[in-house]
Structures are given as C-alpha cells and as structure tokens.
Amino acid sequence: MAERIDVDALVIGAGPTGLTAANLLADQGLSVALIEKHWGSGDEPRAISATDETLRVMQQIGIMPRLAPEMLMDTGARYYGRGGKILADVRPGNPRLGQPGKSQFDQPVMEGLLFEAASERAGIELHFNTEATSITQHPDGVTVTAVRRGQRNSGVSGVVAGDTGTDHAPAADAPQTELVINASWVMACDGGRSFARRELGIGLGGSTQVEKWIVVDLLDVPGDPEPFASFHCNGTRPTVVVPGVRGRRRYEFMLFEGEDESEMTTTSSIAELVSPYQDVSRVTVRRATVYTAHQRIAEKYRVGRVLLAGDAAHLMPPFAGQGLNAGIRDAASAAWRVAAHVKGEGTDALLEDYATERRPHAAEMVKLSKRIGWVVMNTNPVITRIRDVVVIGTRAIPPLNAWLTRMKFLKQPHYVKGTVAAPAPDVPAKAATLIGRSLPQPMVLDADHKQIPLDDMLSNGWSLIEVGPGGQLTIEDGRGASSIATDISGIFSDAKDMILLVRPDRYVAGIAPLGQRATLLTSLSAKATGLSAMVGA
C-alpha cells in the first residue's frame, strides 16, 4: 500500500537550490516535504564561487557562522594573456549586501550545512533514495508519486560520507515503496536532467558548448591561498585556477579535440597539466573529471502549481560563476510567494511574477557566461593578440577600465516588472533607484547601541522601513511590531523622509514619502493581499 504524505509544499531535489528552498519555505511557516533520489547531500565539489546575495541567503537561513570559516572570502580574479602577461585584476565593487561580493566555497560543505539546517527544522520531512515518477495537477494542488528504494531514509551529509568513503546507496534488490505526495505547490529543483521539466513538457532552449574542460580538484595544497582566481587565457591551453581554504584548489584545463577523456584524467596526465603552476608531489587528487558546459534556459519557469528553479530552469557555463548563485536567487524569490499563496496572502499573479522577474536575469547570466567563456577559451592567435591589446588599452579610459575591473559587467538583478511599485513623482531619483534591487544591508545601531547587521532586525515577512533624520530607521514587520535602529553608514541618506517597502526576499518593492504609506501598500495589495493588513497598522 502506498504511503501518503500531505504537505503545503513539496521540493524535488536536494542540491543547494532545493535545500535552500526547503529551509526558506519552512521558515515561512509551511509544512514541507523534500524528496531526493540520491542518498544524501552532494559529495562532489562542483560550484565554487558565491556572491554576496547567496551568502546573504545563507545568513538568513543561519549557517554563515559555520560556513564562513570554510570559505576564502572576498576574492577577485586575475586574467593573464599570451606569454603570461597580466591583462586585468578584477574585483567586485564595494559590497552593499553585508557580505563580500565574491567568495570561494566548497559545495559539499555548503550543501552539508544546508542539509543539517533542514534536518533541524521541524516543518521539513526529508525523503532520500526517493525518486519522483509522476506529476498530476489539480485546481487546488499537485499530486506527485514517487518510489523509495529501501527503508525510510532522512539522508546523510555528503561531507561526512565523502570523508569516510562510505556509500549509503541501498542495495540493488532493496524493496521499493510507492509514495503519494499531495502538496499545494511543488518547487522542482531537480537539476539539469530535471524529471519535472520533462514531465511538464517544458522545452529547454539554447546550445551546448563544443569545448570540453578537464576539472581537477586537489586537497592538501600547502601554503596560504591568494585571494583571487587566475584565468590563464594563454591561447595554448586555457586554464583556470581557483584557490580555497584548508588546502583546497581547483584546476580547469581545456580539453582539445582528439584528446582521450580517460587518458587526460589519469594520474600522470594530471601531474603534467598541473606542474607548470605548482608542485604536485605532495597533494591529493580529490576528483578529476571532464565536463561539457551548456547554455540553456527553460521556456517556462512555471506550469500550474509547479515552479522550476536552479539547474532545472537554466544551465550556464562556469566562467561567470553564476550557476549556483542564480539557483539560490530562484529559491529565495519563489519561497515567499508560495508561502503567501498557501496562507491566503498572495494571488496567482504574485506567483506569475516569479518567472517575470527571474527568467530575464537568468537569461542575461547565461549570455554573460558564454561571452566570458569565449574570451577565456579562445586559441586563435590573431584574436587573442587583439583581445590582449584591447583589454590593456582600457587602462587609458578610466570609466571603461572601472567597468571591467570592478565587475560592473556582472549585472545584479534589477526588477522593473513584477512585484514592484513605480515610484511616485515626488520620490528623489537616487532613492527611486533602490526599487527592484536587493536592500542594502549595512551595520546599524540597535536600541542598545550595539552594532548588528540590518537583516537581524527584519522578519521573515514583509517589512516597512521609515528613514528619518540622522539616519534613524523605524522598522516595522507585518504584524505591526516596530523597532528603532540607526544607519551609521549613511547608505540610506538619499531616502530621508521616505518609507521603504521590503519584500521577504529582501528586495525593495517600493518607496514613497512618509505620508503616503497607505498608497504604497495599496499599490501592491492586489497581488500581495497580506499587505492590506499593514495599511492601518
């Protein structure tokens, strides 16, 4: 007899995006089931770069105190051209979100901490060794059938399994149990080969990169890592080197046509590839594999009550370091909308805004990753010479050089359509630029004159922030509770005498003069109906 599970939300896939989604949904008060066909969180180091926005979400979930020591924080990139000449040192501009603009992390560590966080949340049921087999939608929910191999399994951290070399996969002849899961909403975070995407008939537009890359992850690398990744765009064997903490380091080498994948990942070949960059006699090869990059995006992010997120919705080359980060943005953008709908505080239009906001930005990141890849991978001698001259020539044009070296080409999300309100005519232009962007997170003084991050004073729901004289901030949550803080950085000075409406995902939905609070709330209450309760608070 099939086991029945009834929850508010089902998450398919326990990678970083799925685990993030499950934690955020539970923190919104929903009952959540998460199913994953694997035996636990991932044990392979795949993604390696995290943006400030991703780390802000990790802060919100509560894992940053344990994650930060495992990261190389506040890193940049150094690009080398032909002959080893330095073309550019690139580093994100001044961070605004309370975390460094770019940092290097170890994916099994991040996934393991997200897994532990999900295991500790009473509102989440974890079902590993469990694979979805069908999706049936109804007007008021979704039924997903799944098959569990072996006994009920709540999973294991991939970090622990990787350290011990233990395989937690069930035996080939393990008994199978059918599960019937009824949920109001489903978030499909089941990766590039997404079952949910295929089951829903959603196409995946784009192309596959011709060039393949050899990825080598090392352990026990001696010495202190330098705070930048190095891109060796040498025109011969393009190479990327990414450092980490605790002796971790990644090398990526272009695989040329005619080279045998198996041969190029042998111990002797790895030693030959790495030797120009470091001594390989005292290191441990953690993983060596060959991958092919894709630049694809789902034609739809939503069908009925199923939302795609992460690699299920978009696949991109690694050169901009945006694949995992785009997935975390997806999870943060979708979770609060699902929760609002379940709680009767959001309409269908609010869920439609998820795709309206997220798909265009993901498409931009796919294109950017492809363009950077073209620069890094090019081996044409004429083109590489021209490239080197052009990049070095930007030094003579300060605005252009700043655009390059401060990573201004890496556009942060700026939502002009979706769950955002147009500014009133009397909102100052500089203040209006906050709308549709992630809320800055400075250190503020609380009522006890203690410095804390601004997010520590925000709830998991909607917030209103009044900006008064002297940087005084009056912060109010959706239940009408308020607190006082002082903006000691002056980052909100352009919004003096304004009120900011902040979404649960920390994006600014609107700004208005202090006397127009009701108008601001009403402007979005047709979608986010829960805002109506804040009008008269």
Side-chain angles (χ1 to χ4, degrees), residues 32 79-80 105 107 116 137 162 220 222 245 252 257 282 327 422 429 485 491 534:
V32 182
Y79 288 82
Y80 296 86
F105 74 101
Q107 183 166 332
E116 291 176 14
Q137 301 214 49
D220 307 318
V245 299
E252 301 179 0
E257 186 177 354
R282 293 186 294 160
I491 200 168
M534 299 176 69

Short mmCIF file of all heavy atoms in Angstrom, two decimals, residues 32 79-80 105 107 116 137 162 220 222 245 252 257 282 327 422 429 485 491 534:
data_model
loop_
_atom_site.label_atom_id
_atom_site.label_comp_id
_atom_site.label_asym_id
_atom_site.label_seq_id
_atom_site.Cartn_x
_atom_site.Cartn_y
_atom_site.Cartn_z
N VAL A 32 6.70 21.13 4.79
CA VAL A 32 7.49 20.89 3.58
C VAL A 32 7.95 19.44 3.54
O VAL A 32 8.39 18.88 4.55
CB VAL A 32 8.73 21.80 3.54
CG1 VAL A 32 9.52 21.60 2.26
CG2 VAL A 32 8.33 23.28 3.70
N TYR A 79 43.36 38.00 -14.74
CA TYR A 79 43.37 37.48 -16.11
C TYR A 79 44.76 37.65 -16.72
O TYR A 79 45.33 38.74 -16.71
CB TYR A 79 42.33 38.20 -16.96
CG TYR A 79 40.91 37.82 -16.61
CD1 TYR A 79 40.24 38.42 -15.54
CD2 TYR A 79 40.22 36.86 -17.35
CE1 TYR A 79 38.95 38.06 -15.20
CE2 TYR A 79 38.92 36.50 -17.03
CZ TYR A 79 38.29 37.09 -15.96
OH TYR A 79 37.01 36.75 -15.63
N TYR A 80 45.30 36.55 -17.22
CA TYR A 80 46.59 36.55 -17.89
C TYR A 80 46.38 36.30 -19.39
O TYR A 80 45.56 35.46 -19.77
CB TYR A 80 47.49 35.44 -17.34
CG TYR A 80 47.86 35.59 -15.89
CD1 TYR A 80 47.03 35.10 -14.89
CD2 TYR A 80 49.05 36.19 -15.52
CE1 TYR A 80 47.36 35.21 -13.55
CE2 TYR A 80 49.40 36.32 -14.18
CZ TYR A 80 48.55 35.83 -13.20
OH TYR A 80 48.89 35.95 -11.87
N PHE A 105 33.93 28.85 -2.20
CA PHE A 105 33.40 27.91 -1.21
C PHE A 105 33.56 26.48 -1.72
O PHE A 105 33.93 26.24 -2.87
CB PHE A 105 31.94 28.22 -0.91
CG PHE A 105 30.99 27.81 -2.00
CD1 PHE A 105 30.25 26.65 -1.90
CD2 PHE A 105 30.84 28.59 -3.15
CE1 PHE A 105 29.39 26.26 -2.91
CE2 PHE A 105 29.98 28.21 -4.16
CZ PHE A 105 29.25 27.04 -4.04
N GLN A 107 31.38 23.16 -2.34
CA GLN A 107 29.96 22.83 -2.44
C GLN A 107 29.52 21.75 -1.46
O GLN A 107 28.45 21.88 -0.85
CB GLN A 107 29.60 22.43 -3.87
CG GLN A 107 28.10 22.14 -4.03
CD GLN A 107 27.65 22.07 -5.47
OE1 GLN A 107 28.24 22.69 -6.35
NE2 GLN A 107 26.59 21.30 -5.72
N GLU A 116 21.97 19.93 7.14
CA GLU A 116 21.83 19.91 8.59
C GLU A 116 20.75 20.89 9.05
O GLU A 116 19.97 20.60 9.96
CB GLU A 116 23.16 20.23 9.25
CG GLU A 116 24.21 19.14 9.09
CD GLU A 116 25.54 19.53 9.66
OE1 GLU A 116 25.61 20.53 10.43
OE2 GLU A 116 26.55 18.85 9.37
N GLN A 137 -1.58 17.47 -11.76
CA GLN A 137 -2.03 18.74 -11.19
C GLN A 137 -3.55 18.80 -11.08
O GLN A 137 -4.28 18.24 -11.89
CB GLN A 137 -1.53 19.91 -12.06
CG GLN A 137 -0.01 19.95 -12.18
CD GLN A 137 0.51 21.37 -12.26
OE1 GLN A 137 0.15 22.22 -11.45
NE2 GLN A 137 1.36 21.61 -13.24
N GLY A 162 31.74 11.68 2.25
CA GLY A 162 32.96 11.85 1.45
C GLY A 162 34.21 11.61 2.26
O GLY A 162 35.19 11.03 1.77
N ASP A 220 45.14 19.20 0.23
CA ASP A 220 46.47 19.22 0.86
C ASP A 220 47.46 20.12 0.12
O ASP A 220 48.68 19.89 0.18
CB ASP A 220 47.06 17.80 0.96
CG ASP A 220 46.11 16.82 1.65
OD1 ASP A 220 45.50 17.23 2.66
OD2 ASP A 220 45.97 15.68 1.17
N PRO A 222 49.83 23.02 -0.07
CA PRO A 222 50.49 23.79 1.01
C PRO A 222 50.44 25.29 0.76
O PRO A 222 50.19 25.76 -0.36
CB PRO A 222 51.93 23.29 0.95
CG PRO A 222 52.13 22.87 -0.48
CD PRO A 222 50.79 22.33 -0.94
N VAL A 245 40.27 27.36 0.92
CA VAL A 245 40.90 27.24 2.23
C VAL A 245 41.12 25.76 2.54
O VAL A 245 40.64 24.88 1.84
CB VAL A 245 40.05 27.90 3.34
CG1 VAL A 245 39.90 29.39 3.06
CG2 VAL A 245 38.68 27.23 3.45
N GLU A 252 41.15 23.92 -13.92
CA GLU A 252 40.31 23.59 -15.07
C GLU A 252 41.15 23.83 -16.33
O GLU A 252 41.69 24.91 -16.52
CB GLU A 252 39.04 24.45 -15.08
CG GLU A 252 38.18 24.28 -13.83
CD GLU A 252 36.94 25.16 -13.83
OE1 GLU A 252 36.75 25.91 -14.81
OE2 GLU A 252 36.17 25.09 -12.87
N GLU A 257 40.31 18.81 -29.05
CA GLU A 257 39.73 17.80 -29.93
C GLU A 257 40.76 16.71 -30.20
O GLU A 257 41.94 16.98 -30.47
CB GLU A 257 39.29 18.44 -31.25
CG GLU A 257 38.55 17.49 -32.17
CD GLU A 257 38.06 18.18 -33.43
OE1 GLU A 257 38.21 19.41 -33.52
OE2 GLU A 257 37.55 17.48 -34.32
N ARG A 282 53.07 16.58 -3.38
CA ARG A 282 52.55 16.46 -2.01
C ARG A 282 51.06 16.72 -1.91
O ARG A 282 50.54 16.95 -0.82
CB ARG A 282 53.29 17.44 -1.09
CG ARG A 282 54.77 17.09 -0.89
CD ARG A 282 55.39 18.02 0.13
NE ARG A 282 55.44 19.40 -0.33
CZ ARG A 282 55.58 20.45 0.46
NH1 ARG A 282 55.63 20.30 1.77
NH2 ARG A 282 55.65 21.67 -0.05
N GLY A 327 20.55 29.89 -8.97
CA GLY A 327 19.62 28.96 -8.32
C GLY A 327 19.20 29.41 -6.94
O GLY A 327 18.03 29.29 -6.56
N ALA A 422 5.93 51.37 -9.08
CA ALA A 422 6.60 52.53 -9.67
C ALA A 422 6.68 53.65 -8.64
O ALA A 422 5.76 53.85 -7.84
CB ALA A 422 5.84 53.00 -10.90
N ALA A 429 15.22 60.93 -7.25
CA ALA A 429 15.71 59.98 -8.25
C ALA A 429 16.65 58.94 -7.65
O ALA A 429 16.57 57.75 -7.97
CB ALA A 429 16.39 60.73 -9.39
N ALA A 485 16.48 51.65 14.78
CA ALA A 485 17.91 51.46 14.53
C ALA A 485 18.48 52.75 13.95
O ALA A 485 17.73 53.63 13.53
CB ALA A 485 18.14 50.30 13.56
N ILE A 491 24.02 54.91 4.26
CA ILE A 491 23.66 54.32 2.96
C ILE A 491 22.23 54.65 2.55
O ILE A 491 21.88 54.63 1.37
CB ILE A 491 23.89 52.79 3.01
CG1 ILE A 491 24.01 52.22 1.59
CG2 ILE A 491 22.78 52.08 3.79
CD1 ILE A 491 24.51 50.80 1.56
N MET A 534 -1.47 45.71 6.74
CA MET A 534 -0.47 46.65 7.22
C MET A 534 -0.89 48.10 6.98
O MET A 534 -0.25 49.01 7.51
CB MET A 534 0.87 46.39 6.54
CG MET A 534 1.45 45.01 6.79
SD MET A 534 2.99 44.72 5.86
CE MET A 534 4.13 45.84 6.68
#
